[in-house]
Amino acid sequence: MKIGIDAGGTLIKIAILENDTFTYKKEQSTDIERVAAWLNTMPDAQVALTGGKATYLNSLISHDAFQSIEFDATFKGIQSFLDENNMYLDKFVFSNVGTGTSIHFVDENKQIRAGGTGAGGGMMMGLSYLLTGKEDFADIVTTARAGNRDIIDLKVKHIYKGDKTPIPGELTAANFGNVLHNKDTESFTDADKIASVLGIVGETVTTVSIHAAREFGAEYVVYIGSSFLDNKLLQDIVVNYTKLRNFKPYFIENGEYSGAVGTLRLM
Ligand code: ATP
Ligand code: MG
């Protein structure tokens, strides 16, 4: 049995390869000792690690584990998922929306880190908690679905008020910029607030990603990371914003396991 593990800032992604088939599971990074104990019950497994907590996990297990740099592992995993999906891209940008967001150029067989942003899954959780007291991921993404961003976020068309806009009117001019205009007539629900949090995270991630794609001359932006899990609203924000800016978004199913699969492939 081969086990690939991407131990990230929030979640530990585990890809188990047995009889040429992958099975996937994830654990909270705070449970890293439990994951180590589980691995130690399988001394014969070949273990490949990556991610920010890989070295710590390695120190807890008895295996002679392989370790790789998370950017290389993630790229390798993305390549294998794209091949499986018969999606052939030779030049693209990928954006890994994890706790934080890391953005990379890909040219044929190499990746170069383009940059990143502190807007990502961690911001989604932290800001949602500050605004509503909610801290459960499933609760946060479910609550967001019923939200109305229009009373919180200021769009370009709100500023131009029917006049011809020099850029698409649907673009956000100022995230949270409509709050003070509406504070006397509207009450802001938890759903409205969290939907707007997803808005600023999704739009920031997209903006930084497409700037990288433009600089690099790439058509496609591939998005991965657990922040998108069961999170249709964040996916929609990113898809629509990427298209609005004339680039092509692509989401990989199980893409959050790219690092785990990739480090195993590199072993
Ligand atoms: P990094 O790569 O930045 O070190 P990571 O690898 O842990 O972090 P991901 O697993 O890709 O990052 O994504 C973490 C984000 O996924 C969280 O910040 C949260 O928004 C979201 N998430 C999805 N499912 C859960 C969950 N069950 N518990 C907590 N967060 C979750
Ligand atoms: Mg990660």
Side-chain angles (χ1 to χ4, degrees):
M1 186 200 291
K2 291 182 174 177
I3 304 176
I5 299 186
D6 173 7
T10 307
L11 297 173
I12 300 174
K13 277 73 63 184
I14 304 172
I16 302 165
L17 184 62
E18 232 176 350
N19 306 322
D20 279 339
T21 311
F22 274 109
T23 48
Y24 302 111
K25 61 177 195 156
K26 57 180 181 313
E27 302 286 349
Q28 299 289 328
S29 298
T30 45
D31 289 335
I32 195 161
E33 286 81 9
R34 205 163 48 73
V35 171
W38 168 73
L39 284 170
N40 284 332
T41 64
M42 296 173 292
D44 294 332
Q46 285 177 274
V47 177
L49 306 173
T50 196
K53 297 193 189 294
T55 301
Y56 177 58
L57 180 57
N58 207 351
S59 76
L60 301 176
I61 60 178
S62 56
H63 309 72
D64 182 16
F66 169 80
Q67 226 174 298
S68 65
I69 295 167
E70 76 174 284
F71 302 152
D72 295 329
T74 304
F75 172 46
K76 189 76 185 171
I78 287 175
Q79 273 183 315
S80 93
F81 280 123
L82 289 177
D83 283 350
E84 258 173 43
N85 297 350
N86 297 317
M87 182 76 186
Y88 301 106
L89 303 174
D90 52 357
K91 194 173 187 180
F92 62 95
V93 161
F94 74 82
S95 202
N96 184 1
V97 190
T99 312
T101 299
S102 192
I103 298 165
H104 305 253
F105 299 133
V106 173
D107 198 357
E108 303 264 333
N109 282 317
K110 66 172 197 297
Q111 68 77 25
I112 302 163
R113 189 164 188 275
T117 166
M123 176 175 173
M124 192 163 77
M125 303 298 290
L127 199 48
S128 295
Y129 173 75
L130 284 179
L131 293 172
T132 69
K134 290 185 188 293
E135 56 184 303
D136 177 67
F137 178 76
D139 188 15
I140 286 170
V141 299
T142 314
T143 303
R145 284 184 206 147
N148 174 18
R149 291 180 55 194
D150 264 3
I151 53 175
I152 292 186
D153 293 328
L154 191 70
K155 289 182 172 173
V156 170
K157 69 176 184 192
H158 293 139
I159 298 181
Y160 277 72
K161 281 216 160 77
D163 196 3
K164 195 170 170 298
T165 57
I167 51 173
E170 284 303 315
L171 283 173
T172 305
N175 295 87
F176 294 90
N178 221 2
V179 169
L180 297 187
H181 301 138
N182 291 316
K183 70 177 185 352
D184 298 328
T185 50
E186 304 281 352
S187 53
F188 305 105
T189 64
D190 284 354
D192 301 336
K193 292 175 192 172
I194 297 178
S196 298
V197 168
L198 266 56
I200 194 172
V201 170
E203 290 171 7
T204 304
V205 163
T206 308
T207 300
V208 183
S209 302
I210 62 160
H211 284 179
R214 187 182 299 147
E215 182 188 335
F216 186 57
E219 192 184 9
Y220 273 91
V221 182
V222 172
Y223 293 99
I224 60 162
S226 310
S227 305
F228 294 113
L229 271 180
D230 303 319
N231 195 349
K232 176 89 172 26
L233 182 58
L234 187 69
Q235 288 187 28
D236 286 348
I237 291 165
V238 167
V239 164
N240 293 336
Y241 225 62
T242 305
K243 288 183 180 165
L244 193 63
R245 307 290 293 268
N246 293 317
F247 289 85
K248 293 182 178 162
Y250 188 78
F251 283 87
I252 298 178
E253 199 190 336
N254 293 322
E256 68 277 14
Y257 291 98
S258 296
V261 167
T263 192
L264 210 156
R265 296 276 188 219
L266 289 171
M267 179 163 59

